[in-house]
Structure formats: C-alpha cells, structure tokens
Amino acid sequence: IYPFVLDAFGRQLRQHDRQVLLLPHVDSADEALAWLMQFQLEGLVITAASPLALSKAIARKCVKVGIPIVLFNRYFSDVRASSVNCENERGGAVAAETLVSGGHRRFAFIGGSEPTSSHTDRRAGFVARLRELGAPPPSIETTAFSYEGGYSAGLKLLSRKMRPDAIFCVTDSVALGVLDAARYGHRLGVPEDVSIMGFDDVPMAAWQGNGLSTIRLPVEEMTKRAVELLKRATDDAPRVAQIINIAGELVIRTSTRPPHSTRQVARTSPASCSSTT
C-alpha cells in the first residue's frame, strides 16, 4: 500500500508548497536523525511498520529534539505523538461479520511477524467479533508482510486435515499470496472451498484474476488529515498529540462467499465500514 500512500502524501504536500524527502534505509535512530538534520526539515511522517523497534526509536528521538511528527496508520502507546489511523479494529470486526455471513465455521487469521498496532488491532477486532457471533476461534498464523509470506503461510494452513474455510489476512499483499496458495498450491476453489479477505485495497486486489474482497484503507482522507496535523505543528500551533481514526470501507469481490443467511447479517451490529461491491 505504501507506494500509493507516498503518492498521496506528495500530492497533499504540494498543495502547501512543500516537498517530500524520503528517508532511506537506516540501522539506528541516531543515524536517521543525523541524516534528517542535514536538511531544512519542518516535520516528519512515520509510515514504516518494520522494523518496529526502529520506527519507535526514531519517533521517540524526534519528540525529544522537538521535530514535529505524525504517525501514519500506527501509534505507539509509550510515545506522545499525533497519529492518523484507519479504524483497524473495526475493520477486523467487519471481516469477521462478512465471513460468518458466508456460512463459514473454520476460521484463520494470518498476521505479520511483528506486533505493529495495525496488525494487533485488526486481529483483535476479528477475534472478538467472531466470539460475539458465537463462531469458533480462529487459527492464528504469522508471516512476513509480503506476497511470499502469504503464499508460504497459505500452503501451511491449507495443508491441515481440518483446513480453514475462511481466512482473513492482515494486508492485501499477504492475502494475494494466500489466494495463489489456495488456487495453485492446493487446487482449491475460491470461494467454493475457502473464502479469503485482505486489508488495504491495493490496485492488484481488483484485478479480474484476483477479485479479492478487502477492507479499503481510506488513503486520501488519512493523508489529508496527517498533512493538516503536520502543518499545524510546523505553524507553531500548540503541539497537543491528537489521535484521529477514520473508518475503512468494506469491498466485496469474488474471493468471499455471498451472505449465507440474510437473517444472520441483520443480527450483526451496524458496521463502521461502508460497503462496496
């Protein structure tokens, strides 16, 4: 998702006559700070999910030296910084509702290998909503945040004797790997044998050969609000940490079964995510 996030930030910042400086790979927070201080830096947006410890250390350093920062689609409970997030926990709950309404009974969640806030909240929402709906608890797998990681985890999960018939993945890139593991690694029908959902709605999710159901990350609105927060901080406004959460959007395509029971869907609580088909 982040190439599209970067493009959106570039467009938003140009409206304020600002330019984007992309921080290259660094090995420590001190190295990052030394690199950043070479430029006339007004503020910093942190989008990196991994390595988690490094992202958090950079955020902490910036707060300490007074560089305005905004965290994008993540937050650190022990760092006082503004952040703009998708409603990740609610998105996980909507994924649970969608898969339960398809008549599934064997669930799995494939998450990332690091406990980022977005990963943790998506899993928590999924697990809690399944429990509220009286569904069995999901199997939990962790893997790399990538297509390859999803493919590997999908092969492993779907080789079980009691394989899941519904899988929710922490990102679309992971879900696309699982999709191919199901179709080509195990010759399973999607969604006849297994429904698969992702999160983000990257352009590849909509490709005809994928048809991935997902929760759309509201990139345009999130980047707009993040730039507003950053601009306010760089305009010498009082720096009060703000947490902004924006609802995602449920996008139904062909990788999930349609609702099995309209009565069951009606019993679920109203979703924060709107629905698109």
Side-chain angles (χ1 to χ4, degrees):
I1 193 66
Y2 287 104
F4 311 104
V5 169
L6 181 60
D7 177 67
F9 267 118
R11 286 185 277 105
Q12 294 285 350
L13 285 164
R14 281 194 295 274
Q15 294 178 20
H16 296 277
D17 296 320
R18 300 296 190 275
Q19 298 297 322
V20 174
L21 182 68
L22 184 62
L23 177 65
H25 174 77
V26 292
D27 295 314
S28 70
D30 287 336
E31 183 184 353
L33 200 61
W35 191 89
L36 291 168
M37 296 307 288
Q38 298 177 65
F39 305 92
Q40 293 181 331
L41 185 71
E42 289 186 86
L44 183 68
V45 177
I46 296 180
T47 66
S50 181
L52 179 61
L54 178 58
S55 296
K56 184 184 291 189
I58 292 173
R60 191 176 285 120
K61 282 273 187 183
C62 288
V63 170
K64 185 177 181 180
V65 301
I67 296 175
I69 67 168
V70 173
L71 307 176
F72 184 85
N73 204 36
R74 66 201 64 263
Y75 58 86
F76 304 126
S77 58
D78 55 348
V79 179
R80 188 170 177 78
S82 293
S83 69
V84 178
N85 305 278
C86 180
E87 290 182 353
N88 289 301
E89 189 167 346
R90 185 59 198 144
V94 171
E97 293 167 5
T98 303
L99 295 174
V100 167
S101 74
H104 297 285
R105 295 299 296 169
R106 299 188 305 277
F107 302 91
F109 172 79
I110 300 180
S113 53
E114 288 197 271
T116 64
S117 60
S118 55
H119 159 275
T120 301
D121 289 350
R122 291 170 190 179
R123 181 180 65 182
F126 185 64
V127 172
R129 190 65 179 133
L130 285 178
R131 183 171 58 248
E132 291 170 358
L133 293 171
S139 301
I140 305 292
E141 287 286 336
T142 58
T143 190
F145 290 106
S146 65
Y147 169 89
E148 293 79 11
Y151 191 88
S152 175
L155 287 179
K156 180 180 177 181
L157 262 179
L158 295 170
S159 65
R160 295 179 180 177
K161 185 176 181 180
M162 292 295 291
R163 65 173 183 254
D165 62 359
I167 303 175
F168 173 48
C169 302
V170 67
T171 66
D172 285 350
S173 58
V174 171
L176 290 169
V178 176
L179 196 65
D180 281 352
R183 287 172 171 168
Y184 307 116
H186 287 284
R187 302 296 178 184
L188 297 175
V190 179
E192 297 82 8
D193 297 314
V194 58
S195 284
I196 298 168
M197 280 192 72
F199 204 116
D200 288 336
D201 197 29
V202 298
M204 293 82 78
W207 290 0
Q208 189 171 2
N210 294 324
L212 182 67
S213 294
T214 187
I215 306 294
R216 179 176 294 155
L217 197 75
V219 171
E220 293 297 328
E221 182 64 18
M222 287 175 65
T223 53
K224 179 182 177 182
R225 298 297 295 276
V227 169
E228 288 173 355
L229 286 178
L230 198 61
K231 186 71 168 53
R232 196 176 306 155
T234 58
D235 286 344
D236 295 324
R239 293 183 188 175
V240 178
Q242 289 184 260
I243 308 298
I244 296 174
N245 295 303
I246 302 171
E249 181 181 2
L250 174 62
V251 182
I252 297 296
R253 298 192 178 101
T254 58
S255 71
T256 51
R257 295 180 196 167
H260 180 69
S261 165
T262 54
R263 180 177 59 84
Q264 186 176 37
V265 174
R267 286 193 292 107
T268 65
S269 62
S272 297
C273 299
S274 55
S275 178
T276 299
T277 55

